[in-house]
Structures are given as C-alpha cells and as structure tokens.
Amino acid sequence: TKKNLEVTTYRNADPIPEVTDYTVCATLTTGAWYYYNNNPANGAIYGKMYNWYAINDPRGLAPIGWHVPSITEWTTLRTCMGGQSVAGGALKQVGTTTWLSPNTGATDSCNFTALAAGNRTIGFFPSPLAFDSQQSINTSFWTATEVISDPLRANVVFFVFNTAAFNLSTAVKECGFSVRLIQD
C-alpha cells in the first residue's frame, strides 16, 4: 500500500481499542492502536500506529486479499530497491515536509512514500513507561514476523532522516509502529 494503515476494526469488524495511557501501552498483550503523541491531527497525515498484538491477532488486521508483510517480503523489497545502503532512500518521501533535513537519499522511486511518522516506544528501565519519539527523524514499520529466539519481540524495518539505509531491527511487541500492507 502507498499509505500507512488507519483501520480501527479487525477484518471481522471487532473494534481495535485506541489506547492513550502510556502506562497501559507498556503492559498490553492484546491489540491496540495509537495516534502519534495521542493527537488525532497526526492520524490524518501519518495514519495510525499499532502494537504487534494487533498485527498478529487471529481476527486479521488487513482486509481480505491483503496481509502485513513478513520480514522475508520486506527484505525482498530491500533487494529490489538496490540493497541495504540505498533502499530506504528509494522508499522515503522526497523533501522535508515530514522528514527532518537533509532527508538523505530520498527519491521515492517506487511511490512507497514513507513519511517520518515517528513511533511509540516502550522503556523498561527505570519504569515501564511508553513515549512517542522521533517524529520527523524516523519511521518504523512492523513485519508479521516474530523473533524466534525471543517471543517478546518482533521484527521491524525503519528509515532515518540522515541516511538512505533500509534498516532491520527488532522491538518489544508493546511498541507502536506504522503498518503497510501487501496483496496476497
């Protein structure tokens, strides 16, 4: 898809709760969505962020005929867009409307138009407090792939304003990241 996901229900029409309390976010083991900084105006631009439990819910986050890409599908895209060092730039929105300058390497050559949506991260020390961070600096997307060696984490891809790299990482499942879909 060319835009970040913005659904509020699962495929079967069950609601996905919006959670605004950061301390609740840090303890969830069920699906939820968030606006960056709890601000609905951000949703109009960047879509919603979801925790990984929403991604993996058996009711389905994506409409019929679509799915959240696996880490393998994301790495295939990375390869097709020129490899790790340049593929992030090929996917980022051109300019500095949402990205902090210099937005290195941004060409959006495949019309993916990744906006600098930021994320909702979870900190476990000294307390389980969640906070929104890095809007205009980065954007992160969930994959549908859990980390086999650590069932508390799932794989993510992310892009940053000062590099063209297509980065892979992992995050705890309570975090809130953007979601893109791919056709089945």
Side-chain angles (χ1 to χ4, degrees), residues 22-41:
Y22 290 125
T23 57
V24 172
C25 295
T27 62
L28 286 175
T29 57
T30 57
W33 66 267
Y34 324 99
Y35 289 122
Y36 180 85
N37 209 24
N38 292 329
N39 183 347

Side-chain angles (χ1 to χ4, degrees), residues 48-184:
K48 293 173 176 51
M49 293 183 286
Y50 300 85
N51 67 14
W52 196 81
Y53 299 106
I55 305 303
N56 194 47
D57 192 284
R59 293 171 285 184
L61 186 64
I64 292 173
W66 295 83
H67 65 274
V68 177
S70 68
I71 190 68
T72 301
E73 290 168 315
W74 276 105
T75 55
T76 298
L77 176 62
R78 180 177 72 174
T79 300
C80 290
M81 298 313 299
Q84 189 277 331
S85 64
V86 297
L91 300 174
K92 291 191 299 182
Q93 174 193 42
V94 175
T96 56
T97 303
T98 67
W99 288 96
L100 189 64
S101 183
N103 196 15
T104 303
T107 65
D108 197 19
S109 61
C110 69
N111 294 317
F112 187 86
T113 317
L115 306 177
N119 52 60
R120 178 165 285 182
T121 57
I122 307 296
F124 287 102
F125 181 81
S127 65
L129 179 66
F131 58 94
D132 293 331
S133 65
Q134 304 173 343
Q135 190 176 38
S136 79
I137 293 174
N138 79 6
T139 194
S140 301
F141 297 96
W142 281 118
T143 77
T145 309
E146 186 174 43
V147 176
I148 295 170
S149 62
D150 185 353
L152 301 176
R153 303 178 77 78
N155 289 283
V156 297
V157 301
F158 69 97
F159 314 125
V160 183
F161 79 103
N162 62 352
T163 178
F166 185 117
N167 303 290
L168 305 174
S169 190
T170 67
V172 294
K173 295 175 180 178
E174 296 85 358
C175 290
F177 299 130
S178 298
V179 173
R180 292 290 179 101
L181 303 177
I182 188 170
Q183 279 190 303
D184 293 346

Side-chain angles (χ1 to χ4, degrees), residues 5-17:
L5 193 64
E6 12 182 5
V7 299
T8 58
T9 62
Y10 291 106
R11 185 180 301 147
N12 71 353
D14 285 350
I16 305 166

